[in-house]
């Protein structure tokens, strides 16, 4: 628990933030398409190396959330990305959820999946160099949303994820995200 507390404190160091470099293949393809770059594994690796190896980035970045592909990749010189980040004093992390899917028996609400097999994945990610993990659950706002069922289901998954992370020696980042889309007011969102 002492190591978890040290990692958590380092992640929230004053004047620093966490870089989210955990785009899925589909999301990064959209970004590359917008600048006419083919989304190949090598191009994705080169792009992320550019981000991670930028001189002085460690002055502003405490941690980086990686995608499964990225935590397994290496810089052009053969240094695994987690080791490259650690060498700069940046904490490597990993996105472990499997995305939001339609919530059964709920109209237009989602639940984040990925608990099946998570214990083993967390152990592997820890061995690959991750020191924290991220899981996102999304909530839509409307006059009838989110339902208590949706809130409870996602909260339960977030709690199970967080417990498994701690068991594996990873700091859990719990991300309940209230989606901004819709006609709701800021008061309804709160």
């Amino acid at each position: 628990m002492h190591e978890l507390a040290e990692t958590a404190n380092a992640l929230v160091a004053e004047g620093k933030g966490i870089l989210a470099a955990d785009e899925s293949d589909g999301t990064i393809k959209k970004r590359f398409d917008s600048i006419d770059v083919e989304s190949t594994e090598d191009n994705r690796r080169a792009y992320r190396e550019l981000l991670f190896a930028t001189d002085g980035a460690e002055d502003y970045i405490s941690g980086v959330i990686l995608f499964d592909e990225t935590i397994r990749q290496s810089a052009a010189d053969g240094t695994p990305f987690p080791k490259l980040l650690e060498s700069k004093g940046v904490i490597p992390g990993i996105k472990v959820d499997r995305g939001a899917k339609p919530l059964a028996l709920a109209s237009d609400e989602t639940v984040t999946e990925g608990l099946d097999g998570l214990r083993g994945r967390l152990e592997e990610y820890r061995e690959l160099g991750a020191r924290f993990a991220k899981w996102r659950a999304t909530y839509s706002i409307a006059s009838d949303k989110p339902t208590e069922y949706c809130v409870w289901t996602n909260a339960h998954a977030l709690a199970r994820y967080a417990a498994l992370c701690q068991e594996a020696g990873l700091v859990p980042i719990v991300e309940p995200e209230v989606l901004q889309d819709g006609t709701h007011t800021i008061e309804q969102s709160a």
Side-chain angles (χ1 to χ4, degrees), residues 49-61 84 88 90:
E49 181 175 358
L50 177 70
L51 293 174
F52 306 158
T54 297
D55 285 338
E58 65 275 9
D59 295 336
Y60 306 98
I61 297 172
L84 172 66
K88 296 176 68 89
V90 176

Side-chain angles (χ1 to χ4, degrees), residues 34-180:
S34 73
I35 58 170
D36 295 323
V37 172
E38 186 180 2
S39 184
T40 64
E41 182 179 354
D42 193 54
N43 284 345
R44 292 188 301 271
R45 186 210 54 75
Y47 165 69
R48 290 183 171 130
E49 181 175 358
L50 177 70
L51 293 174
F52 306 158
T54 297
D55 285 338
E58 65 275 9
D59 295 336
Y60 306 98
I61 297 172
S62 59
V64 175
I65 306 167
L66 304 170
F67 187 61
D68 182 78
E69 174 184 74
T70 314
I71 199 168
R72 300 170 191 285
Q73 290 177 322
S74 297
D77 69 1
T79 305
F81 279 152
K83 295 276 187 222
L84 172 66
L85 292 168
E86 285 177 352
S87 74
K88 296 176 68 89
V90 176
I91 304 166
I94 184 73
K95 173 191 184 262
V96 295
D97 71 70
R98 296 279 168 98
K101 307 291 187 231
L103 178 59
L105 305 175
S107 176
D108 299 323
E109 290 189 289
T110 62
V111 63
T112 301
E113 295 184 348
L115 289 171
D116 290 348
L118 182 59
R119 178 178 274 125
R121 289 196 329 270
L122 291 172
E123 290 171 5
E124 179 184 14
Y125 289 139
R126 173 82 180 161
E127 289 176 16
L128 289 169
R131 293 298 173 260
F132 72 97
K134 180 200 97 164
W135 182 289
R136 181 179 76 131
T138 59
Y139 298 93
S140 296
I141 306 298
S143 61
D144 60 341
K145 291 180 189 70
T147 61
E148 185 175 337
Y149 169 51
C150 178
V151 171
W152 187 92
T153 303
N154 277 294
H156 185 259
L158 285 165
R160 289 182 58 200
Y161 143 79
L164 287 166
C165 280
Q166 291 175 65
E167 177 184 272
L170 298 171
V171 172
I173 293 181
V174 175
E175 185 183 348
E177 180 181 357
V178 177
L179 299 176
Q180 296 178 22

